[in-house]
Amino acid sequence: MDGSRGLSVPPCSAPLLPPLKAVVGCLLHLTVVVIAVLFSCVQKLFSDNVGKNTIKRKDSSTTSKVQGPRNGPVTCEQNGPRPLTIHPERLKDFVEEEYLNGDLTTWEMKVVEPPEEQLKESAEPVAPKTRKPSVRPKNEFLRFEDISAAAFKTQNGVQKTPCMYSRISKQYGVDIYLKKEFLQYTGSVKERGVLYLLTSLNQDQQRKGVIVASDSNFAMAAAFHASELQIPVFVIMSAGTSPSRVRMCRDYGAMVILFGPTARDAQSHARQLAQENGYLYVEEEDSAGYLAGLGTVGLEIYEQVPNLDAVIFPAGGQCGLLAGSATALKHLNPKISVIGVECEKFPVVQQSLKTGHCLTEHDYVTHPLYGELGGPSFGANTLKLAKKHVDQVISVREEDVLLAMLRLLEYERATADAEGAMGLAAIIADAIPDLKGKRVAVVVCSGNLPLPLLRHCLDRALVLDHRVCKFSVVLTDFPGEISKLLETIGREEARVLDMQKENIFLNTDLFTLEVTCLVETRDKPHTTQLRNALTEKYSTLKWIEQGRQ
């Protein structure tokens, strides 16, 4: 009996099961309570964070719905330029306007009001605001800030041309610094204004394209820079345009169309095409944007040449350059004298300043030597600026302009046209005697001239400078007489360029002939020496006067 008791195991009696179930149930209940408490704590923390963010958003003064740059808003994983930051208090200045520097367009503005009033008004229906076409504001009057902005925006698109001391200075007693704008890619200063105009266009207009009706330097500048900016460009020219101009515009990338016998016909056709196809008709104007681009020349001159006394600009068709640059120079240093020069045959600026309004006599008139004499480029804005900032406008003779072209080619190896040589012509003609011994900058604005016309101008300039002369003499028609004449010319160290003889239509003896010679000399004293030597030997000498008086 004792052994069996030690080996027996007490059976699991039924009274032990109820306490075990109670313990398990308590543990499950406790677990559910802990989970519920943790969930409530997490939910409370999340709601607190959301509330803080909401309070921060309510504390901001304004909100706006802004569409980002043309390529979409820049995110943390997106490549591309980041838009310029605009403070909320400045957003009101850009409502439905195009912010060009940051490529932003603001569509809607909404001021956040206190929460109570906002909740009351949220139930009221709000009409959706439709987009209106963005119009770039045009300043009525040029400011120095516009010129500074143009200089910054076009600094990588145009050349910063040199303004160098010239060897011509010693000949005329003036320290001359030549601003060589003819070194621009298209050979003209008008690239500055054209580039700033084109970069100011909105994206939709750049996609449609621009159209120009001109055969001037403005058209070539528009053709080149529009092509560089991948803007479709069309140039309408009259049928009589120089073939070299047509070829250059096509080489720059423009679609050139020849239409009508005159410039007016080309302009009317260009306006019609622009209206029918949605192109933007671009012309040389006196808007603040175009003048600001041209005014960057004044900024560069001021930086490149210290202690300037005066700056000479071409006027007339280049009055935009004169007005824009004068605005910059007078803002930087009012003591600098700004002088405009134009041809005495077409004193457009002088007469306009006297009468107080722009003359329309020469509008849309294109001179083969002086280019465009008037038109939209010389308007009320340009006239106001010239009257305010330009100290004087003088006129020079055509002979002085041709001599200036010759001096630039000989001393500077610069093939300037009449507009480019206009400033130097004033110094050659001694039209401004007060500039003797002073530091003067002269703007050589362009160098585009057809080769046949350039050759003609230089030949004429040599005659005016008494370096090519023409005379005739009657000789007896015997052997050796022409040789004796050539020997006399050779002794005086002159060079015969051309010689012609005529013996049919003479009213003298039968055995006589008239010999006409075209001779090159060194200068005016050398020409006088040759003339005196021929006069002593030939009483029938006839000197053909064509030189400058």
Side-chain angles (χ1 to χ4, degrees), residues 422-473:
M422 197 71 68
L424 184 61
I427 296 179
I428 291 178
D430 198 16
I432 319 173
D434 297 338
L435 298 182
K436 294 291 184 180
K438 294 185 178 180
R439 296 167 65 89
V440 180
V442 178
V443 180
V444 186
C445 63
S446 57
N448 290 321
L449 202 63
L451 290 179
L453 181 58
L454 176 63
R455 182 178 59 187
H456 181 65
C457 291
L458 295 177
D459 289 342
R460 175 63 176 160
L462 289 172
V463 174
L464 294 172
D465 203 28
H466 300 280
R467 292 161 60 181
V468 172
C469 53
K470 187 177 182 180
F471 62 87
S472 64
V473 61

Short mmCIF file of all heavy atoms in Angstrom, two decimals, residues 422-473:
data_model
loop_
_atom_site.label_atom_id
_atom_site.label_comp_id
_atom_site.label_asym_id
_atom_site.label_seq_id
_atom_site.Cartn_x
_atom_site.Cartn_y
_atom_site.Cartn_z
N MET A 422 29.94 109.03 -89.22
CA MET A 422 29.36 110.35 -88.99
C MET A 422 30.02 111.07 -87.82
O MET A 422 30.26 112.29 -87.87
CB MET A 422 27.86 110.20 -88.73
CG MET A 422 27.07 111.47 -88.88
SD MET A 422 26.91 112.01 -90.59
CE MET A 422 25.88 110.72 -91.26
N GLY A 423 30.32 110.37 -86.73
CA GLY A 423 30.91 111.03 -85.57
C GLY A 423 32.30 111.56 -85.86
O GLY A 423 32.66 112.68 -85.47
N LEU A 424 33.13 110.76 -86.52
CA LEU A 424 34.48 111.21 -86.86
C LEU A 424 34.45 112.36 -87.85
O LEU A 424 35.34 113.21 -87.85
CB LEU A 424 35.29 110.04 -87.42
CG LEU A 424 36.75 110.32 -87.74
CD1 LEU A 424 37.51 110.74 -86.50
CD2 LEU A 424 37.40 109.09 -88.37
N ALA A 425 33.43 112.41 -88.69
CA ALA A 425 33.32 113.50 -89.66
C ALA A 425 33.23 114.86 -88.97
O ALA A 425 33.73 115.86 -89.49
CB ALA A 425 32.10 113.28 -90.56
N ALA A 426 32.60 114.91 -87.80
CA ALA A 426 32.50 116.18 -87.07
C ALA A 426 33.88 116.66 -86.62
O ALA A 426 34.16 117.86 -86.62
CB ALA A 426 31.57 116.01 -85.88
N ILE A 427 34.77 115.73 -86.25
CA ILE A 427 36.12 116.13 -85.83
C ILE A 427 36.95 116.53 -87.05
O ILE A 427 37.72 117.50 -87.01
CB ILE A 427 36.78 114.97 -85.08
CG1 ILE A 427 36.00 114.68 -83.79
CG2 ILE A 427 38.23 115.28 -84.76
CD1 ILE A 427 36.55 113.54 -82.98
N ILE A 428 36.80 115.81 -88.15
CA ILE A 428 37.54 116.15 -89.37
C ILE A 428 37.15 117.52 -89.88
O ILE A 428 37.99 118.30 -90.33
CB ILE A 428 37.30 115.06 -90.44
CG1 ILE A 428 37.98 113.76 -90.02
CG2 ILE A 428 37.81 115.51 -91.81
CD1 ILE A 428 37.76 112.62 -90.98
N ALA A 429 35.87 117.83 -89.82
CA ALA A 429 35.38 119.13 -90.30
C ALA A 429 35.65 120.26 -89.31
O ALA A 429 35.33 121.42 -89.60
CB ALA A 429 33.88 119.04 -90.58
N ASP A 430 36.21 119.93 -88.14
CA ASP A 430 36.47 120.91 -87.08
C ASP A 430 35.18 121.66 -86.70
O ASP A 430 35.18 122.86 -86.44
CB ASP A 430 37.53 121.91 -87.52
CG ASP A 430 38.15 122.65 -86.34
OD1 ASP A 430 37.99 122.18 -85.20
OD2 ASP A 430 38.76 123.72 -86.56
N ALA A 431 34.09 120.88 -86.66
CA ALA A 431 32.80 121.47 -86.33
C ALA A 431 32.63 121.72 -84.84
O ALA A 431 31.72 122.45 -84.43
CB ALA A 431 31.66 120.56 -86.81
N ILE A 432 33.50 121.11 -84.00
CA ILE A 432 33.41 121.29 -82.55
C ILE A 432 34.80 121.68 -82.06
O ILE A 432 35.55 120.85 -81.51
CB ILE A 432 32.92 120.00 -81.86
CG1 ILE A 432 31.81 119.33 -82.66
CG2 ILE A 432 32.44 120.29 -80.43
CD1 ILE A 432 31.40 117.98 -82.15
N PRO A 433 35.18 122.94 -82.19
CA PRO A 433 36.54 123.35 -81.81
C PRO A 433 36.80 123.25 -80.31
O PRO A 433 37.96 123.20 -79.88
CB PRO A 433 36.62 124.80 -82.29
CG PRO A 433 35.21 125.25 -82.40
CD PRO A 433 34.42 124.03 -82.78
N ASP A 434 35.76 123.19 -79.49
CA ASP A 434 35.95 123.11 -78.04
C ASP A 434 36.55 121.78 -77.60
O ASP A 434 36.98 121.64 -76.45
CB ASP A 434 34.62 123.31 -77.32
CG ASP A 434 34.03 124.69 -77.58
OD1 ASP A 434 34.82 125.59 -77.93
OD2 ASP A 434 32.80 124.86 -77.43
N LEU A 435 36.57 120.79 -78.49
CA LEU A 435 37.07 119.47 -78.11
C LEU A 435 38.58 119.34 -78.26
O LEU A 435 39.13 118.27 -77.96
CB LEU A 435 36.39 118.39 -78.96
CG LEU A 435 34.88 118.27 -78.82
CD1 LEU A 435 34.36 117.13 -79.69
CD2 LEU A 435 34.48 118.03 -77.36
N LYS A 436 39.27 120.35 -78.68
CA LYS A 436 40.72 120.27 -78.83
C LYS A 436 41.39 119.95 -77.50
O LYS A 436 41.15 120.60 -76.48
CB LYS A 436 41.26 121.59 -79.39
CG LYS A 436 40.82 121.93 -80.80
CD LYS A 436 41.45 120.98 -81.81
CE LYS A 436 41.09 121.38 -83.24
NZ LYS A 436 41.69 120.47 -84.24
N GLY A 437 42.23 118.91 -77.53
CA GLY A 437 42.96 118.53 -76.34
C GLY A 437 42.16 117.75 -75.32
O GLY A 437 42.67 117.48 -74.22
N LYS A 438 40.94 117.34 -75.62
CA LYS A 438 40.09 116.63 -74.67
C LYS A 438 39.95 115.16 -75.05
O LYS A 438 40.29 114.76 -76.16
CB LYS A 438 38.71 117.30 -74.60
CG LYS A 438 38.76 118.71 -74.02
CD LYS A 438 37.36 119.29 -73.86
CE LYS A 438 37.41 120.67 -73.26
NZ LYS A 438 36.05 121.25 -73.09
N ARG A 439 39.45 114.39 -74.09
CA ARG A 439 39.22 112.95 -74.30
C ARG A 439 37.81 112.76 -74.82
O ARG A 439 36.83 113.05 -74.12
CB ARG A 439 39.42 112.19 -72.98
CG ARG A 439 40.84 112.26 -72.47
CD ARG A 439 40.94 111.79 -71.03
NE ARG A 439 40.63 110.38 -70.89
CZ ARG A 439 41.52 109.40 -70.99
NH1 ARG A 439 42.78 109.69 -71.26
NH2 ARG A 439 41.18 108.14 -70.82
N VAL A 440 37.72 112.24 -76.04
CA VAL A 440 36.44 112.14 -76.72
C VAL A 440 36.26 110.71 -77.24
O VAL A 440 37.17 110.16 -77.87
CB VAL A 440 36.34 113.14 -77.90
CG1 VAL A 440 34.99 113.02 -78.59
CG2 VAL A 440 36.57 114.56 -77.42
N ALA A 441 35.11 110.14 -76.97
CA ALA A 441 34.76 108.82 -77.51
C ALA A 441 33.86 109.01 -78.72
O ALA A 441 32.91 109.80 -78.68
CB ALA A 441 34.06 107.97 -76.46
N VAL A 442 34.17 108.31 -79.78
CA VAL A 442 33.40 108.39 -81.03
C VAL A 442 32.85 106.99 -81.33
O VAL A 442 33.61 106.02 -81.39
CB VAL A 442 34.27 108.89 -82.20
CG1 VAL A 442 33.46 108.92 -83.49
CG2 VAL A 442 34.84 110.28 -81.88
N VAL A 443 31.56 106.91 -81.52
CA VAL A 443 30.91 105.63 -81.77
C VAL A 443 30.87 105.36 -83.26
O VAL A 443 30.27 106.13 -84.03
CB VAL A 443 29.48 105.61 -81.18
CG1 VAL A 443 28.82 104.26 -81.46
CG2 VAL A 443 29.53 105.88 -79.69
N VAL A 444 31.54 104.28 -83.68
CA VAL A 444 31.46 103.81 -85.07
C VAL A 444 30.41 102.70 -85.07
O VAL A 444 30.70 101.55 -84.78
CB VAL A 444 32.82 103.29 -85.56
CG1 VAL A 444 32.76 102.94 -87.04
CG2 VAL A 444 33.91 104.34 -85.31
N CYS A 445 29.17 103.07 -85.39
CA CYS A 445 28.03 102.22 -85.09
C CYS A 445 27.83 101.07 -86.08
O CYS A 445 27.22 100.06 -85.72
CB CYS A 445 26.76 103.07 -85.01
SG CYS A 445 26.35 103.88 -86.56
N SER A 446 28.31 101.19 -87.30
CA SER A 446 28.00 100.13 -88.28
C SER A 446 29.04 100.14 -89.39
O SER A 446 29.72 101.15 -89.61
CB SER A 446 26.59 100.31 -88.86
OG SER A 446 26.45 101.59 -89.45
N GLY A 447 29.11 99.02 -90.10
CA GLY A 447 30.06 98.89 -91.19
C GLY A 447 29.52 98.07 -92.34
O GLY A 447 30.26 97.29 -92.94
N ASN A 448 28.24 98.22 -92.64
CA ASN A 448 27.60 97.47 -93.72
C ASN A 448 27.38 98.39 -94.92
O ASN A 448 26.56 99.30 -94.86
CB ASN A 448 26.26 96.88 -93.25
CG ASN A 448 26.46 95.77 -92.25
OD1 ASN A 448 27.38 94.98 -92.38
ND2 ASN A 448 25.60 95.72 -91.25
N LEU A 449 28.10 98.13 -95.96
CA LEU A 449 27.96 98.92 -97.18
C LEU A 449 28.25 98.01 -98.36
O LEU A 449 29.25 97.28 -98.35
CB LEU A 449 28.93 100.11 -97.18
CG LEU A 449 28.59 101.30 -98.08
CD1 LEU A 449 27.28 101.94 -97.64
CD2 LEU A 449 29.71 102.33 -98.05
N PRO A 450 27.40 98.01 -99.39
CA PRO A 450 27.68 97.17 -100.56
C PRO A 450 29.03 97.53 -101.18
O PRO A 450 29.43 98.70 -101.22
CB PRO A 450 26.51 97.48 -101.51
CG PRO A 450 25.41 97.98 -100.61
CD PRO A 450 26.10 98.71 -99.50
N LEU A 451 29.71 96.54 -101.67
CA LEU A 451 31.06 96.76 -102.19
C LEU A 451 31.12 97.77 -103.32
O LEU A 451 32.03 98.62 -103.35
CB LEU A 451 31.67 95.42 -102.62
CG LEU A 451 32.02 94.46 -101.48
CD1 LEU A 451 32.59 93.17 -102.04
CD2 LEU A 451 33.00 95.10 -100.52
N PRO A 452 30.22 97.74 -104.32
CA PRO A 452 30.30 98.78 -105.37
C PRO A 452 30.15 100.18 -104.82
O PRO A 452 30.87 101.10 -105.24
CB PRO A 452 29.14 98.40 -106.30
CG PRO A 452 28.90 96.95 -106.07
CD PRO A 452 29.17 96.74 -104.62
N LEU A 453 29.24 100.37 -103.86
CA LEU A 453 29.06 101.70 -103.27
C LEU A 453 30.26 102.08 -102.42
O LEU A 453 30.68 103.25 -102.42
CB LEU A 453 27.78 101.72 -102.43
CG LEU A 453 27.44 103.05 -101.77
CD1 LEU A 453 27.31 104.16 -102.81
CD2 LEU A 453 26.15 102.93 -100.96
N LEU A 454 30.85 101.13 -101.72
CA LEU A 454 32.03 101.42 -100.92
C LEU A 454 33.19 101.86 -101.81
O LEU A 454 33.90 102.83 -101.48
CB LEU A 454 32.42 100.18 -100.11
CG LEU A 454 33.70 100.28 -99.28
CD1 LEU A 454 33.57 101.35 -98.22
CD2 LEU A 454 34.03 98.93 -98.65
N ARG A 455 33.37 101.19 -102.91
CA ARG A 455 34.45 101.57 -103.82
C ARG A 455 34.22 102.96 -104.38
O ARG A 455 35.16 103.77 -104.48
CB ARG A 455 34.52 100.54 -104.95
CG ARG A 455 35.64 100.80 -105.95
CD ARG A 455 35.67 99.72 -107.01
NE ARG A 455 34.39 99.65 -107.72
CZ ARG A 455 34.08 98.71 -108.62
NH1 ARG A 455 34.97 97.76 -108.88
NH2 ARG A 455 32.92 98.72 -109.23
N HIS A 456 32.98 103.26 -104.72
CA HIS A 456 32.66 104.59 -105.25
C HIS A 456 32.92 105.67 -104.20
O HIS A 456 33.45 106.75 -104.52
CB HIS A 456 31.21 104.62 -105.70
CG HIS A 456 30.78 105.92 -106.28
ND1 HIS A 456 31.31 106.44 -107.45
CD2 HIS A 456 29.87 106.84 -105.84
CE1 HIS A 456 30.75 107.61 -107.71
NE2 HIS A 456 29.87 107.87 -106.75
N CYS A 457 32.56 105.39 -102.94
CA CYS A 457 32.77 106.38 -101.88
C CYS A 457 34.25 106.62 -101.63
O CYS A 457 34.68 107.77 -101.43
CB CYS A 457 32.10 105.89 -100.59
SG CYS A 457 30.30 105.89 -100.62
N LEU A 458 35.05 105.57 -101.66
CA LEU A 458 36.47 105.74 -101.43
C LEU A 458 37.16 106.47 -102.58
O LEU A 458 38.06 107.30 -102.35
CB LEU A 458 37.12 104.37 -101.20
CG LEU A 458 36.67 103.63 -99.95
CD1 LEU A 458 37.33 102.27 -99.87
CD2 LEU A 458 36.96 104.44 -98.70
N ASP A 459 36.76 106.19 -103.80
CA ASP A 459 37.32 106.92 -104.95
C ASP A 459 37.00 108.40 -104.84
O ASP A 459 37.86 109.26 -105.10
CB ASP A 459 36.77 106.34 -106.25
CG ASP A 459 37.33 104.97 -106.55
OD1 ASP A 459 38.36 104.60 -105.96
OD2 ASP A 459 36.72 104.24 -107.35
N ARG A 460 35.78 108.70 -104.47
CA ARG A 460 35.38 110.10 -104.31
C ARG A 460 36.14 110.76 -103.16
O ARG A 460 36.55 111.92 -103.25
CB ARG A 460 33.87 110.17 -104.06
CG ARG A 460 33.32 111.54 -103.75
CD ARG A 460 33.50 112.49 -104.90
NE ARG A 460 32.90 113.77 -104.61
CZ ARG A 460 33.22 114.90 -105.25
NH1 ARG A 460 34.11 114.87 -106.24
NH2 ARG A 460 32.64 116.03 -104.94
N ALA A 461 36.37 110.01 -102.09
CA ALA A 461 37.09 110.56 -100.95
C ALA A 461 38.54 110.87 -101.30
O ALA A 461 39.11 111.87 -100.84
CB ALA A 461 37.03 109.59 -99.78
N LEU A 462 39.18 110.05 -102.13
CA LEU A 462 40.55 110.32 -102.56
C LEU A 462 40.63 111.61 -103.37
O LEU A 462 41.60 112.37 -103.26
CB LEU A 462 41.08 109.14 -103.37
CG LEU A 462 41.37 107.86 -102.59
CD1 LEU A 462 41.69 106.71 -103.54
CD2 LEU A 462 42.52 108.08 -101.61
N VAL A 463 39.62 111.86 -104.17
CA VAL A 463 39.59 113.12 -104.94
C VAL A 463 39.41 114.30 -104.01
O VAL A 463 40.09 115.34 -104.14
CB VAL A 463 38.46 113.07 -105.99
CG1 VAL A 463 38.31 114.42 -106.69
CG2 VAL A 463 38.74 111.98 -107.02
N LEU A 464 38.51 114.16 -103.03
CA LEU A 464 38.28 115.26 -102.08
C LEU A 464 39.52 115.53 -101.23
O LEU A 464 39.73 116.67 -100.80
CB LEU A 464 37.10 114.91 -101.17
CG LEU A 464 35.74 114.81 -101.85
CD1 LEU A 464 34.69 114.27 -100.89
CD2 LEU A 464 35.30 116.16 -102.40
N ASP A 465 40.32 114.52 -101.01
CA ASP A 465 41.53 114.67 -100.20
C ASP A 465 42.73 115.11 -101.03
O ASP A 465 43.86 115.12 -100.52
CB ASP A 465 41.84 113.34 -99.50
CG ASP A 465 42.67 113.51 -98.26
OD1 ASP A 465 42.59 114.58 -97.63
OD2 ASP A 465 43.39 112.56 -97.90
N HIS A 466 42.50 115.48 -102.30
CA HIS A 466 43.54 115.96 -103.21
C HIS A 466 44.63 114.92 -103.40
O HIS A 466 45.81 115.25 -103.58
CB HIS A 466 44.16 117.26 -102.69
CG HIS A 466 43.19 118.38 -102.54
ND1 HIS A 466 42.76 119.15 -103.60
CD2 HIS A 466 42.53 118.84 -101.44
CE1 HIS A 466 41.90 120.06 -103.16
NE2 HIS A 466 41.74 119.88 -101.87
N ARG A 467 44.24 113.67 -103.45
CA ARG A 467 45.21 112.60 -103.67
C ARG A 467 44.98 111.91 -105.01
O ARG A 467 45.78 111.07 -105.42
CB ARG A 467 45.13 111.59 -102.53
CG ARG A 467 45.62 112.19 -101.22
CD ARG A 467 45.14 111.42 -100.02
NE ARG A 467 45.58 110.05 -100.03
CZ ARG A 467 45.27 109.17 -99.08
NH1 ARG A 467 44.51 109.54 -98.07
NH2 ARG A 467 45.70 107.93 -99.16
N VAL A 468 43.93 112.25 -105.69
CA VAL A 468 43.68 111.83 -107.07
C VAL A 468 43.20 113.08 -107.82
O VAL A 468 42.23 113.73 -107.39
CB VAL A 468 42.62 110.72 -107.15
CG1 VAL A 468 42.25 110.44 -108.60
CG2 VAL A 468 43.12 109.44 -106.48
N CYS A 469 43.88 113.41 -108.88
CA CYS A 469 43.54 114.62 -109.64
C CYS A 469 43.41 114.28 -111.13
O CYS A 469 43.95 113.27 -111.61
CB CYS A 469 44.58 115.72 -109.44
SG CYS A 469 46.27 115.20 -109.78
N LYS A 470 42.73 115.15 -111.83
CA LYS A 470 42.44 114.94 -113.25
C LYS A 470 42.70 116.23 -114.00
O LYS A 470 42.29 117.30 -113.56
CB LYS A 470 40.99 114.48 -113.42
CG LYS A 470 40.63 114.06 -114.83
CD LYS A 470 39.18 113.56 -114.88
CE LYS A 470 38.80 113.08 -116.26
NZ LYS A 470 37.41 112.59 -116.32
N PHE A 471 43.37 116.11 -115.13
CA PHE A 471 43.66 117.30 -115.95
C PHE A 471 43.73 116.88 -117.41
O PHE A 471 43.84 115.68 -117.73
CB PHE A 471 44.97 117.96 -115.52
CG PHE A 471 46.18 117.10 -115.67
CD1 PHE A 471 46.88 117.04 -116.88
CD2 PHE A 471 46.63 116.30 -114.62
CE1 PHE A 471 47.99 116.22 -117.04
CE2 PHE A 471 47.74 115.49 -114.77
CZ PHE A 471 48.42 115.45 -115.98
N SER A 472 43.66 117.86 -118.29
CA SER A 472 43.78 117.62 -119.74
C SER A 472 44.74 118.65 -120.33
O SER A 472 44.85 119.78 -119.84
CB SER A 472 42.42 117.71 -120.42
OG SER A 472 41.89 119.02 -120.32
N VAL A 473 45.38 118.24 -121.41
CA VAL A 473 46.32 119.12 -122.08
C VAL A 473 46.28 118.81 -123.58
O VAL A 473 46.13 117.65 -123.98
CB VAL A 473 47.76 118.93 -121.53
CG1 VAL A 473 48.25 117.51 -121.73
CG2 VAL A 473 48.73 119.93 -122.15
#
